């Protein structure tokens, strides 16, 4: 399984994607197959839902504004409320989780003002108040997902989240096209350049600079975990003393089992937790065992915590910043 062409395509090119005029030809050369096979396989994987797109994963709050939000909804109302939330294009992920706060979604917008207006509109449409839990510090966010479970993980330093830097109109046009994913054609960057009225070298240069600056976290194949068999997905949250959260967040982020790790504000008295981790696994018992081991090895037994397993996936799209 792990040496099949399709597996390699999914596992090896979630980052370090070739940023060149003919990237799929470069992938084909690395994999020892024809370019046509790479393109047809990526299209097949997208149709099957195993990948959402090939392209940029933007860093939260570097291009636009974003926040994680949660609602406490009566079970009999959950589907209707989730549908109301999903109608907003600014909502890109929306999940039911095991908790009193059982509806969790991510909202993105072009600016902080637009984000706050959208949150107010969501509350009104859903008929429920929400907790807004914006990112404060990132320790590890979406640098790829090792399907083999054995790949070395990049170490990520603590990175405070600063106010978003404005982008010009040409950059905004590029973001609006990139958030749809890379066209699966021989010269995808040339097509993007034509759509936004720029040159191919300008498009490639801007993407490279955004990667260097950290505005794009990674550029490559964006997989969908559930369709690949990772159906036991848990959000592990802790209440960590403020003077220790950076050290503990960094340590947890370096754990191979932790796919996301970040600090968000407490929302007292309703939400006392400030450190969030995501752990993806194939079986619930496997994830529970990993969590118990992490808490024991990192001395977290005395820290209040909760585990919110994902249940229903109501929506999963790429972020919409423009």
């Amino acid at each position: 399984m792990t040496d099949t062409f399709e597996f390699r395509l999914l596992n090896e090119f979630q980052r370090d994607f070739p940023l060149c005029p003919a990237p799929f030809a470069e992938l084909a050369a690395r994999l020892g197959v024809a370019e046509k096979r790479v393109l047809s396989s990526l299209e097949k994987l997208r149709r099957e839902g195993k990948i959402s797109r090939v392209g940029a994963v933007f860093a939260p709050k570097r291009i636009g504004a974003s926040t994680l939000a949660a609602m406490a909804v009566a079970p009999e109302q959950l589907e209707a409320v989730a549908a109301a939330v999903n109608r907003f294009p600014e909502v890109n992920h929306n999940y039911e989780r095991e908790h009193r706060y059982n509806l969790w979604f991510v909202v993105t917008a072009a600016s902080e003002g637009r984000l706050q207006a959208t949150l107010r509109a969501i509350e009104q449409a859903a008929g429920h108040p929400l907790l807004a839990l914006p990112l404060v510090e990132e320790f590890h966010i979406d640098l790829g997902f090792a399907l083999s479970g054995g790949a070395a993980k990049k170490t990520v330093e603590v990175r405070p989240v600063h106010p978003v830097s404005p982008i010009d109109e040409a950059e905004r046009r590029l973001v609006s096209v990139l958030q749809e994913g890379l066209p699966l054609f021989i010269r995808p960057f040339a097509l993007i350049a034509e759509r936004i009225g720029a040159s191919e070298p300008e498009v490639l240069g801007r993407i490279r600079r955004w990667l260097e600056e950290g505005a794009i976290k990674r550029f490559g194949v964006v997989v969908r975990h559930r369709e690949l068999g990772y159906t036991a997905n848990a959000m592990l949250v802790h209440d960590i003393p403020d003077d220790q959260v950076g050290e503990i967040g960094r340590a947890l982020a370096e754990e191979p089992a932790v796919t996301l790790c970040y600090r968000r504000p407490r929302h007292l008295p309703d939400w006392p937790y400030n450190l969030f981790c995501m752990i993806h696994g194939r079986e619930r018992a496997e994830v529970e065992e990993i969590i118990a081991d992490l808490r024991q090895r990192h001395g977290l037994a005395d820290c209040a915590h909760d585990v919110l397993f994902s249940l229903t996936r109501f929506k999963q799209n790429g972020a919409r910043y423009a």
Side-chain angles (χ1 to χ4, degrees):
M1 164 63 178
T2 57
D3 59 354
T4 65
F5 163 74
E6 188 174 282
F7 180 88
R8 291 188 63 198
L9 196 57
L10 287 167
N11 196 51
E12 296 178 18
F13 298 105
Q14 295 178 41
R15 54 175 176 255
D16 302 325
F17 186 84
L19 291 174
C20 61
F24 301 113
E26 175 63 25
L27 288 186
R30 295 185 194 179
L31 292 166
V33 299
E35 182 182 26
K36 183 178 180 180
R37 187 178 179 196
V38 169
L39 288 166
S40 63
S41 295
L42 287 171
E43 180 58 43
K44 170 177 168 286
L45 290 166
R46 189 166 62 179
R47 283 198 315 271
E48 293 172 347
K50 293 179 179 176
I51 66 173
S52 61
R53 66 191 185 283
V54 178
V57 175
F58 287 98
K61 307 187 87 168
R62 295 294 295 274
I63 293 291
S66 66
T67 189
L68 178 67
M71 284 181 177
V73 182
E76 64 273 15
Q77 298 178 328
L78 189 61
E79 286 198 17
V81 172
V85 171
N86 283 353
R87 282 195 281 271
F88 288 82
E90 294 88 350
V91 173
N92 57 297
H93 284 201
N94 189 6
Y95 282 84
E96 177 189 6
R97 296 191 183 280
E98 294 178 346
H99 194 267
R100 183 173 77 85
Y101 282 98
N102 53 349
L103 192 66
W104 290 80
F105 50 95
V106 177
V107 186
T108 60
S111 67
E112 187 63 31
R114 178 66 181 270
L115 176 67
Q116 294 305 318
T118 301
L119 293 176
R120 291 192 295 271
I122 290 173
E123 283 188 320
Q124 185 173 9
H128 287 72
L130 61 78
L131 294 183
L133 299 165
L135 187 68
V136 176
E137 286 181 304
E138 63 175 88
F139 307 108
H140 177 69
I141 297 182
D142 206 0
L143 294 182
F145 189 80
L147 301 176
S148 62
K153 185 171 179 178
K154 290 186 178 180
T155 299
V156 182
E157 63 184 66
V158 176
R159 192 186 295 268
V161 177
H162 300 295
V164 62
S165 300
I167 59 176
D168 61 31
E169 184 54 36
E171 291 174 324
R172 191 169 301 285
R173 287 197 301 270
L174 179 54
V175 170
S176 71
V177 175
L178 286 179
Q179 67 190 11
E180 304 293 340
L182 206 60
L184 297 180
F185 294 103
I186 292 172
R187 296 286 292 266
F189 298 109
L191 281 178
I192 288 174
E194 185 177 352
R195 285 182 62 183
I196 67 171
S199 70
E200 185 180 55
E202 286 172 338
V203 167
L204 285 165
R206 180 68 267 179
I207 292 170
R208 291 190 188 104
R209 287 195 294 277
W210 276 339
L211 277 165
E212 291 168 3
E213 295 165 1
I216 293 177
K217 297 294 296 183
R218 63 180 176 90
F219 197 104
V221 178
V222 181
V223 303
R224 304 184 82 185
H225 307 120
R226 287 181 176 231
E227 282 74 8
L228 293 170
Y230 291 85
T231 56
N233 305 323
M235 184 169 75
L236 170 64
V237 293
H238 281 96
D239 178 14
I240 304 293
D242 290 338
D243 61 350
Q244 299 175 31
V245 68
E247 178 185 357
I248 292 172
R250 188 186 306 111
L252 289 174
E254 293 176 1
E255 289 282 351
V258 173
T259 52
L260 304 171
C261 187
Y262 35 68
R263 180 183 181 186
R264 296 184 184 275
R266 301 178 183 87
H267 203 298
L268 299 173
D270 304 291
W271 185 258
Y273 307 112
N274 62 341
L275 185 63
F276 293 62
C277 295
M278 283 300 303
I279 298 165
H280 295 76
R282 295 186 182 275
E283 302 289 342
R284 184 184 181 110
E286 168 199 357
V287 173
E288 290 173 337
E289 186 176 329
I290 288 169
I291 289 171
D293 176 64
L294 288 176
R295 282 176 41 77
Q296 188 274 325
R297 285 192 292 107
H298 290 277
L300 300 175
D302 295 330
C303 293
H305 80 292
D306 216 330
V307 180
L308 290 74
F309 275 93
S310 302
L311 297 175
T312 307
R313 181 179 63 194
F314 293 114
K315 190 175 187 181
Q316 184 186 1
N317 295 331
R320 314 284 298 187
Y321 290 104

